[in-house]
Amino acid sequence: MQQSDISILIVEDQTLMRQGLRTILDLEEGIRVVGEARDGAEGVREALRLRPDIILMDVQMPVMNGVEAIRAIIAAWSQARIIVLTTFDRDDYVFQSVRAGAMGYLLKDAPAEALLQTIRRVHTGEVFIQPEIASRTLREVATGRRRAGTTPFDLSEREREVLVLLAQGLSNREIAGRLSITEGTVKNHVSNILARLQAENRTQAANIARREGLTD
């Protein structure tokens, strides 16, 4: 495997699907499958052992389902980039997977090119849900928040403004200029944002913000 290749772990209980995915991915230049797992529990072990660039995760599996596996992986390795690849487009599966920490959601009947594009987009840090189901998920997230009557992560309006700009890659100085506040104030807001999102750094905060729809 070349250093620049995107390493992939496939977590899928169906042998034919797992082998088919491996064949497609191994034929693609710049992408290499480094491991396979047949259930969620094995997927967690292999993910933490191999630390691949991308994990392809099925939802319904024996021993431990995909959502539980995602939670376990993210809890132990917050930088993991996981794409859910499943036959199910039910809102609850999509919502639970994204909430658990998945950065991508794609149906198994999607064309191979869509899978490859999703892998590359998630590898760069982008959160990507198949367009056909993305709008439905976002509506559910928004509706749930309105019903709860709370601000996600208890962010103030100003902190959310800072987070949006942070997610766009702006520096503290650029954010200060954009919002007409001091750089020190921005620094304080960023510290509060990291604490409330339980993020280790700006990149992780930006990923969480995109995943939770906080930058929309």
Side-chain angles (χ1 to χ4, degrees):
M1 183 175 72
Q2 298 180 11
Q3 190 173 2
S4 59
D5 286 348
I6 300 173
S7 58
I8 306 287
L9 169 65
I10 301 172
V11 185
E12 164 65 59
D13 65 316
Q14 296 182 22
T15 302
L16 286 177
M17 176 60 69
R18 196 169 61 248
Q19 292 175 345
L21 286 170
R22 180 162 204 142
T23 298
I24 291 171
L25 296 174
D26 278 342
L27 288 173
E28 185 68 15
E29 185 176 355
I31 293 178
R32 292 292 180 270
V33 176
V34 296
E36 299 179 11
R38 292 163 292 184
D39 59 63
E42 185 180 9
V44 174
R45 292 193 298 270
E46 289 299 284
L48 299 181
R49 181 178 72 86
L50 296 170
R51 304 275 170 151
D53 295 319
I54 297 290
I55 301 165
L56 295 181
M57 180 75 68
D58 190 15
V59 172
Q60 287 202 333
M61 293 182 292
V63 185
M64 176 186 288
N65 68 41
V67 175
E68 293 170 337
I70 293 169
R71 291 194 187 107
I73 293 169
I74 295 296
W77 178 29
S78 61
Q79 301 301 315
R81 294 178 177 176
I82 303 172
I83 298 171
V84 174
L85 188 60
T86 182
T87 56
F88 299 96
D89 64 349
R90 283 171 41 186
D91 292 351
D92 55 343
Y93 282 135
V94 181
F95 186 66
Q96 289 175 34
S97 299
V98 173
R99 290 283 294 177
M103 293 180 65
Y105 197 103
L106 194 67
L107 298 180
K108 289 180 180 178
D109 62 0
E113 186 57 35
L115 172 61
L116 297 172
Q117 289 178 0
T118 301
I119 288 172
R120 292 192 173 95
R121 292 173 75 166
V122 171
H123 183 245
T124 65
E126 184 177 349
V127 176
F128 180 76
I129 300 176
Q130 191 169 341
E132 293 91 323
I133 55 181
S135 60
R136 202 167 62 229
T137 303
L138 293 175
R139 284 198 302 271
E140 180 173 340
V141 172
T143 300
R145 287 172 182 166
R146 285 196 297 271
R147 288 173 181 168
T150 58
T151 303
F153 298 100
D154 293 325
L155 295 178
S156 69
E157 187 62 32
R158 177 61 83 185
E159 286 167 348
R160 178 160 179 166
E161 291 174 346
V162 170
L163 180 58
V164 169
L165 297 176
L166 180 154
Q168 293 175 5
L170 274 65
S171 67
N172 285 357
R173 179 174 296 180
E174 291 169 329
I175 294 173
R178 188 76 65 87
L179 298 178
S180 299
I181 56 180
T182 68
E183 193 170 345
T185 299
V186 173
K187 186 176 180 180
N188 290 336
H189 284 317
V190 171
S191 296
N192 290 338
I193 290 167
L194 294 181
R196 288 173 180 167
L197 269 59
Q198 297 184 345
E200 297 178 1
N201 50 51
R202 297 167 71 99
T203 300
Q204 188 177 355
N207 288 338
I208 292 171
R210 297 188 191 101
R211 191 168 67 222
E212 295 293 335
L214 301 180
T215 58
D216 296 339

